Amino acid sequence: MADGERTTFGDLLRPIADPPVRPDLISLSASATAAASAAVDPPHGSRAEADRLGASLKELADADARIVFVGDPGGTDPRLVLPGNAVRTAKYSFLTFIPRNLFEQFRRLAYVYFLAIAVLNQLPQLAVFGRGASVLPLAFVLLVTAVKDAYEDWRRHRSDRAENGRAAAILDPAGSGQFRPRRWKDLRVGEVIKVLADQSIPCDMVLLATSDPTGVAYVQTINLDGESNLKTRYAKQETMSRLPSIIAGSVTTVIRCETPNRNIYGFHANLEVDGKRVSLGASNIILRGCELKNTAWAIGVAVYTGIETKVMLNSSGATSKRSRLETHMNRETLLLSAILITLCSAVSICNGIWLAIHRDELELSQYFRKRDYSGGDEKYYNYYGIAMQVFFVFLMAVIVFQIMIPISLYISMELVRLGQAYFMIRDNNLYDESSSSRFQCRALNINEDLGQIRYVFSDKTGTLTENKMVFQCASIRGIDYSEGKDPSPNGSDVYYVVVGDQFWRPKMLVKTDPKLVRLLRSEGETQEGKHARDFFLALAACNTIVPLIVGTPDPKQKLIDYQGESPDEQALVYAAAAYGYVLIERTSGHIVIDVLGDRQRFNVLGLHEFDSDRKRMSVIIGCPDRTVRLFVKGADSSMFGVLEKSIDLDIIRATETNLHAYSSMGLRTLVVGMRELSRNDFEVWHSAYEKASTALYGRGSLLRAVASSVENNLQILGASGIEDKLQQGVPEAIKSLRQAGLRVWVLTGDKQETAISIGYSCKLLTSEMTHIVINNNSEAACRKSLEDAIAISSKFVAISSRAQNTVTGTGSARVPLALIIDGTSLVHILETELEEKLFKIATVCDVVLCCRVAPLQKAGIVALIKKRTEDMTLAIGDGANDVSMIQMADVGIGISGQEGRQAVMASDFAMGQFRFLLPLLLVHGHWNYQRIAYMILYNFYRNAMFVFIMFWYVLYTAYTLTTAITEWSSVLYSVLYTALPTVVVGILDKDLSRRTLLKYPRLYGAGQREERYNLSLFILTMMDAIWQSLVVFFIPYLAYRDTTVDGSSLGDLWTLAVVTLVNIHLAMDVFRWNWITHLSIWGSIAVAVMCVILIDSIWFLPGYWAIYHTMKTGLFWLCLLGIFAAGMIPRFTMKALTEYFMPNDIQISRELEKFGNFNDFTDCLYTETDIRFHLLHSAISSAASNNTKPEAHPSANRHSLPCQYSPSIVTCIFGGVTLTVVSFLPLTLPPVSPPSPPTEAMDDQNQDNYGGPNLQRSALEPLRTRWTPKPEQILILESIFNSGMVNPPKDETVRIRKLLEQFGSVGDANVFYWFQNRRSRSRRRQRQLQASLMADPRAAGVVQHAGGAATSSPSNSPGGGFFACSSSTSAAASSSNFVIDDNADDLFSISRQMGFMEATQTPPPFMCSSDVSHLHNQPETITVFIDGVASEVPKGPIDLRAAFGHNVMLVHSSGELLPVTEHGILMQSLQMGESYFSELELKNASPSSSMHGYHLRGVPCDAHQYQCLRRHSQRHGNAPPMAAFAKALQSFAPFWEPAEVVFRLSIWRKTKFTVLMDRKKPLNHLLALLLLSCLLSMDAAPLSSVDVSSLVSPAGTFALRNRDEAATKVIDKETAEEGGVSLNERTGFELDDYPGSGANSRHDPKNPGKP
Amino acid sequence: MNPRGDSTSGSDGAPEPRRKSKKPKYSRFTQQELPACKPLLTPAIVVTTFAFIGIIFIPIGLLSLSASEQVVEIVYQYDTDCIPEQLQNDKVAFIQSSKTNKTCTRTLTVPKNMEGPVHIYYELDNFYQNHRRYVKSRSDKQLRSKASETVTTNCAPEATTSDGSVIVPCGLIAWSLFNDTYSFAVNSKIIEVNKKNIAWQSDKEHKFGSDVYPKNFQMGGLIGGAKLNASIPLSEQEDLIVWMRTAALPRFRKLYGRIETNLAANEQITVTIQNNYNTYSFEGKKNLVLSTTSWIGGKNDFLGTAYLTVGSLCLFLAIGFIILYLLKPRTLGDPSYLSWNRNPDGHY
């Protein structure tokens, strides 16, 4: 077991000790036992646990051993009464069922409460309800549960019977030597049992002999630990050889073994036969629950039977946890109890006072009649004095008001959770195809906790990765061979072994490096070739793999299946086989390896198994050439210590380099070494080995010592790199989880480099993160590095917070930190005072990566968080080493993967893949939390309201607790009238759809912040309940005050009112109405009405026929109607107010779902920015080459850009989002540059920079009438808006509408709303801009720096130079980085990002003289709007004169004039995304002067005037009177103000638009461009797998395509392929996983444009 | 041993690996994708709802107010009035004495025209007909059939006479039957009071048996109220039936009878009251009420007022919301309002 990468304590859990070649020499290593038992037993206090484990390390002492006399069950261990082999899982027997079941049921508090109330009610003085009414509900619930339990138990009985009745072959104890069939349950310890192939093993038994001459037996343990591979078990030679005499009973064989325990991977025993003692280990025992495979028979002796078998000891029930919400709920339940007691006290005290006041009157008053005269002698009738009356009234009040405590809630919560679990289990998105495993809910009580998780602790191997090891590359004697090629299954390069007329080939194909293959097969004995051969021989020999030959449909072909417990070893053996070293046979003493077609037999002389101290394993092989060789493989850290350094130093160095490279690729590495043992060496070793392995005490440590003594002075052979593939969808899942505000911590046994590289590949770590590495060997060093880390982090946090404060609303200023800490450091930190420091630093960090951690340390880290925060933790893992962590965390999730079922057995939920965490937490967790939270509140409200109504009535009955509502109605109220809707809503209601929740992971925060259930919500709900109860009570009271109404009629009215109101209340809060919801809510009301009618049809009840009478009156209906309206007004008003004016994220997302038909499109826009970019690029290129003359315009000469540009304008438009890119296209570029595939790196940057999904930055236009504006329309609108007409008057609106109608139908209202929204958006922008302008430049600078680092990761998108980049500077430019993250205005973020990304890899073509020192990584261009046209401008000073010509000033949209130097260079940078207007300036005015020299559209004015006018024009859209020639131009653009026309044209002429702007028809030209841009957006859309048809009809698309064939052809061909493929990859997640979401029905991403 | 672990652990996991695919069958139900309507409180809906309620409620309120206006009601409290001056200090003695003359004649003026039928009610105040020990004190079984005459559970202390024979009808409710009587005359001409059909038909038919005759009623030491004619079956004893339908509130009216003729405005009605019923021992009040009815019953301004209030409140809210929506418009479903878009770093 040379599992170099998995050297932790816990990794040893895998059954390590099983497969030794010489069975008699093997025992389980002590530490492995300890680890295994640690994992199996839940570690509660890790210290105590460690002590206990320490105890188990002790060698077996006679005193506490079980003594088994083989073949003599009677003589076996007389000290003990041993159980039979019968198992019993059933809980009850026929007789004990009723008492035991009742006992079990009454362990629930709710039932006890019910019972107490019912008992109270039986007292004659307190009989509030009739006997039936009070007992019936409880009896019903009890009965149903009892029936269910009885059924389950009957099934268990049946399976018990079947199990116990199975037949086993037992050696006849009479000594006949025959095996007789006997039932399982009659087996006893000490009996000898024979098991045949494919039979189940009836009890835990020590192997005595098997059909294999070497004593090997193969067992399948899938039912025990879930591992499907075969395990080898061995019978001792001592017993094998003496089998006949054992069977005949002629020798006394005694086994001393440990007392029964749960450790399925450990067994300690020794066996005494013929006076000879041999020791037994875990490899000598076969356990109940396993099946014998590939072995004809096996004979063993039973050592543990029945409930003492390991499988029974391990079959624990599901964990019982209590959810966070329920804990909180109990707090409110206490509050309710307080209210209940208050109400009861109030009633009883009032009653006492009333009695006291009316003491004298009551003797005679007709309604009281204190005295009973009927008996002749005068006595009190039913009156016990005031004190007793008060006491009775109190108890009666408790009975009447009992439902104040919503005990039924506990029952309905269980139902709801059951329903939720049902849907989770049935969710196709949680079904793992590859392992065909469904989601499992093992704990039913914590569904809603899934919605409140803040910390995720994840295992790496098997959880993030697939745990399917594939050999990737090798370094042999320092030479790297990593050019492997994937083999084709039938290709010539697949290595076959020819056996007779059969071809055997390894089951799994490994890619091979042709160079290495050639080297191996080359004739002649080169040194290189020899080493390579040794290397692969080592790989093939140094392991414990068992080859199994499996048939295929082709009789000539067989597959070699390598079975073994370590996937790494399997990978290595498969690799060796692929290179021609095929392990064919393993028996106990030798192995057969097909060495390049030549079968050779190697004797296995000794094997030192893997242990965590040495971290390596070795075999000693006797080779055919009679040499004896030691092969060692192990972790590099342990191997480098035992290598012979003097000779091979260079090679070791080279290997180290290779190893480093491998591990940074995320590969698991092992180093292989070899030594040829001399005769003498071998003898020395052999005698030591013999001695150690036969030692009775301390065998493990002796063997370790022997191993260490021989494993030295090794010659290095090489190293291997094994890939553990990431599971599908892990990076995306982690990204989403982090966006959701979850902190993902990875705890792994891997070494640091591997962990970090896996961290990168699964997007846990990103390049912009600052790593804090803690990697120490002593406490002092740990302390120091922790303190340093805290210092660093606090600095970062300070910077971040300062930046955040000063630049409010802009930029994700937070510098992400990653903490990497290793297990050795944790040893010194956990459970010392340093823990606090670790906690401090760890919670500041975004990511924590713990490497080389032991299982108990994993639990310790979870405990670290659990102890110190209120936050919910979730642990996810797949192996036995994760068990402790899974049990420690609030929610434990087991991955049912390769590593067996231990994790699953310990978990609360189990599933197949890590990525299922997304749907599980973000979707189901969110829903469950939301549902249960609402349900609890609603139940509180519902019951409280009913109680309050009764309470108000009690005030009018002389406090005697009469209820107008019939007793049946009050019993049925919470059981029948209102129960079903809450359960249905609790199971089925969804506030948001699955898609939305996955798209906006941050919505998960609602649960983390406990938004849906908290004390204030509870209080609000209670106040609402009081108000509604007042309404329900007093409206009928006041209406019926002066009538002849009787109590029953009024009671019926109240009943119906409260039931209906409560259901309406629920109906108002239901998010989604499907038919079940409708049915349950309206059905409940109907049922209530029917019940009331039914009750009033019973003649002996006082309310007979009352409902019929009242329903006939108008007053009744008026009261009901009035109650509904008056009752709901406050809630409805509050709801309307908060939802509209204080919407939370969920509310907005709901609106998005309902109205946001642009959702998909804008989303894809963000993720697919790169594609769009290339589309733009190529389109512009072609446009430029086709449409415009590539001659340099005169103005270009003045332009300071390094290359010539031809102007292009491209606009991408969708749903109100206009991205207008005015680009300066370098003519030197080829007309169409091949688009490169969009890289993930780029995409990630977009995503990760802000930690917030920029998916969300989609802008949606008012969609009241579902107007889908055409691109042309939007450009026009945008132009008008930017021209200053921000709020067009009515007639103007009509004009605009008419103009827009040329392109598609549109209403006046659409136009009006468009402007309204556009205006509010730009206002918002403006506010943010102002805020950002006030930013502390210093802080901004620092953060800028960090941000710069973030962007420095390589991005290989081509097309640099597409955007003009010229210079950069610090001050204002720095804020642009914040603006990147500013998402308030989506309008520009696309272009911003594009510019941003571009800049990261475009060398600044032009460097300004100003300081650029620390900004070399900055994005060099920003997008601004100049005169309503988005332009890419260089950041920093801009040569205005060069760009726009003389006399032009830039004015910010706020009216502020930008200062300019005398050379026409802007003194400050433009702000990303802002709007500027160019203004003509008086010739000789000093630009920097603030006194005068401004022109407002040609009219000179002073600065103040200027700004006023500017603002005025902004606000009112009315340009001041303009020069005369404007009129002439107005014909071009009738919708513009004359001034605007002049203004616009002048700008266009001055900039490079002149070429495009046809002298005659500027508008037409504009529209031509629009079409182009529209095309671009069209073509990009289908690529991104979204529904374009919602945006523009397909017909429109094609029509547009025809218009400009030239441009589109290029786009189609070039981008569809590349973009499509990568997109498909990216969207594949969704496509595969969410069949229900309709994603499948969307466009095939590979066929753009074809719906 | 395979099924063991699973069945005890209670997990769902079907342990048999034989089944080919455990993939849950797709259905819209299991995937929670049932077609559903997702209502949202859009401004339009909110304003419409409020306006609608307002528009509906105000007319209803006006209608019921006017209906209540049309009702003419004469309420005359006679409990103290009908006791001679000299006995005002010891009303209980007056009412308990069998010698005093309990007849009391008063004149009431009809304020407006009262169209027949004019309902005659007696109204008791501070009489807890809903008192727990009072409501329970009856035997519906006994009232219904002669066969269950002896079923007097809950009837104590008026279940049996002191010699042990059963009282029919038993219980405090029957025992305390109201026994004031009224007769009316206009200008000395007696107005007939129709005392038929004052009780619910359902009660007469199903709750009170036609073969059950009063027995031993009011024979005990303490007389609670009216005596019953032992020759008339309970189903015909409408006063008892009315009385046995216990009132909801401590102040209640019960139908005494009807005057079928019209009463003209300003007519003087002479009421002759037999003031027998003892409300004095517990400071109860007694009123005589003459009232016409409308579709909302008697005179009741509350409902109309309430409707008007709620209706106008809703109209007011509708207007308020319109103003608010205009003042602070918000695009529904604008993602820029999402918290992380408003404040990128908040909410951690």
Side-chain angles (χ1 to χ4, degrees), chain A residues 70 179 191-195 205-209 286 298-302:
Chain A
V70 177
F179 285 92
E191 284 183 324
V192 178
I193 302 156
K194 185 176 188 176
V195 183
M205 50 200 244
V206 167
L207 277 177
L208 295 176
I286 50 179
I299 291 175
V301 57

Side-chain angles (χ1 to χ4, degrees), chain A residues 594-661:
Chain A
D594 184 289
V595 180
L596 300 164
D598 175 24
R599 283 228 220 162
Q600 294 181 7
R601 182 189 157 108
F602 296 84
N603 289 319
V604 180
L605 302 171
L607 183 143
H608 299 286
E609 18 168 320
F610 180 82
D611 69 60
S612 59
D613 293 346
R614 283 158 53 236
K615 292 178 181 162
R616 55 184 182 258
M617 73 160 291
S618 56
V619 286
I620 292 174
I621 298 284
C623 294
D625 57 2
R626 314 208 49 81
T627 57
V628 176
R629 292 196 208 173
L630 167 76
F631 290 111
V632 189
K633 75 173 196 289
D636 50 0
S637 56
S638 81
M639 287 298 288
F640 283 125
V642 294
L643 289 176
E644 177 60 69
K645 290 218 178 59
S646 53
I647 321 164
D648 294 334
L649 200 58
D650 290 347
I651 296 167
I652 292 174
R653 290 244 171 87
T655 311
E656 270 180 22
T657 318
N658 288 337
L659 281 175
H660 190 74

Side-chain angles (χ1 to χ4, degrees), chain A residues 447-463:
Chain A
N447 288 350
E448 60 272 19
D449 277 353
L450 291 172
Q452 293 189 284
I453 305 294
R454 202 182 281 271
Y455 286 92
V456 172
F457 300 92
S458 171
D459 176 37
K460 186 184 80 63
T461 313
T463 306

Side-chain angles (χ1 to χ4, degrees), chain A residues 1462-1601:
Chain A
E1462 51 270 69
H1463 306 295
I1465 293 171
L1466 271 182
M1467 283 166 70
Q1468 65 186 53
S1469 172
L1470 301 184
Q1471 301 291 314
M1472 176 74 96
E1474 285 306 316
S1475 289
Y1476 296 89
F1477 295 88
S1478 53
E1479 302 289 352
L1480 289 172
E1481 174 203 17
L1482 263 188
K1483 260 238 158 106
N1484 293 323
S1486 161
S1488 53
S1489 151
S1490 60
M1491 286 299 293
H1492 58 284
Y1494 299 113
H1495 261 79
L1496 187 68
R1497 307 196 176 173
V1499 180
C1501 56
D1502 68 30
H1504 179 70
Q1505 219 178 356
Y1506 175 85
Q1507 295 201 358
C1508 290
L1509 284 169
R1510 185 75 223 169
R1511 289 204 189 98
H1512 179 79
S1513 68
Q1514 280 277 307
R1515 215 168 292 134
H1516 304 289
N1518 296 324
M1522 246 321 288
F1525 69 88
K1527 267 188 187 160
L1529 290 163
Q1530 201 180 353
S1531 54
F1532 290 124
F1535 51 91
W1536 284 332
E1537 291 285 331
E1540 212 48 55
V1541 177
V1542 178
F1543 179 52
R1544 225 152 250 290
L1545 285 181
S1546 67
I1547 297 307
W1548 276 331
R1549 193 166 296 126
K1550 268 200 265 325
T1551 53
K1552 277 113 288 204
F1553 291 97
T1554 336
V1555 183
L1556 275 179
M1557 296 315 293
D1558 190 298
R1559 283 139 299 272
K1560 278 175 191 159
K1561 291 183 176 170
L1563 191 60
N1564 287 1
H1565 217 108
L1566 195 65
L1567 293 178
L1569 284 165
L1570 276 171
L1571 290 177
L1572 175 68
S1573 60
C1574 152
L1575 267 174
L1576 294 173
S1577 50
M1578 286 311 106
D1579 279 317
L1583 288 176
S1584 42
S1585 83
V1586 292
D1587 199 349
V1588 187
S1589 56
S1590 70
L1591 198 70
V1592 173
S1593 68
T1597 315
F1598 290 118
L1600 285 165
R1601 182 165 297 172

Side-chain angles (χ1 to χ4, degrees), chain A residues 159 961 1042 1118 1145 1258 1383, chain B residues 4 132 251 307 335 339 341:
Chain A
S159 68
L961 295 161
D1042 294 328
L1118 282 187
D1145 295 338
S1258 52
N1383 32 42
Chain B
R4 291 278 69 73
R132 170 165 287 279
R251 187 176 82 173
Y307 264 80
S339 62
N341 287 347

Side-chain angles (χ1 to χ4, degrees), chain A residues 159 369 374 381 433 438 931 953 961-962 990 1039 1042 1104 1118 1140 1145 1151 1154 1256 1258 1317 1383, chain B residues 4 22-23 31-32 38 130 132-133 156 158 162 245 248 251 300 307 330-331 333 335 339-341:
Chain A
S159 68
R369 257 298 288 278
S374 57
Y381 157 68
E433 295 276 0
R438 283 192 194 184
R931 290 161 176 172
Y953 185 64
L961 295 161
T962 321
K990 308 191 294 181
D1042 294 328
Y1104 180 68
L1118 282 187
Y1140 195 83
D1145 295 338
E1151 293 166 3
K1154 185 146 180 165
Q1256 281 102 46
S1258 52
N1317 290 312
N1383 32 42
Chain B
R4 291 278 69 73
K22 290 194 287 180
K23 179 159 186 159
Q31 302 308 308
Q32 306 192 52
K38 302 177 275 182
N130 56 13
R132 170 165 287 279
R133 52 195 285 151
E158 285 296 326
S162 45
R245 210 149 253 290
R251 187 176 82 173
N300 183 6
Y307 264 80
R330 176 172 81 84
T331 319
S339 62
W340 53 91
N341 287 347

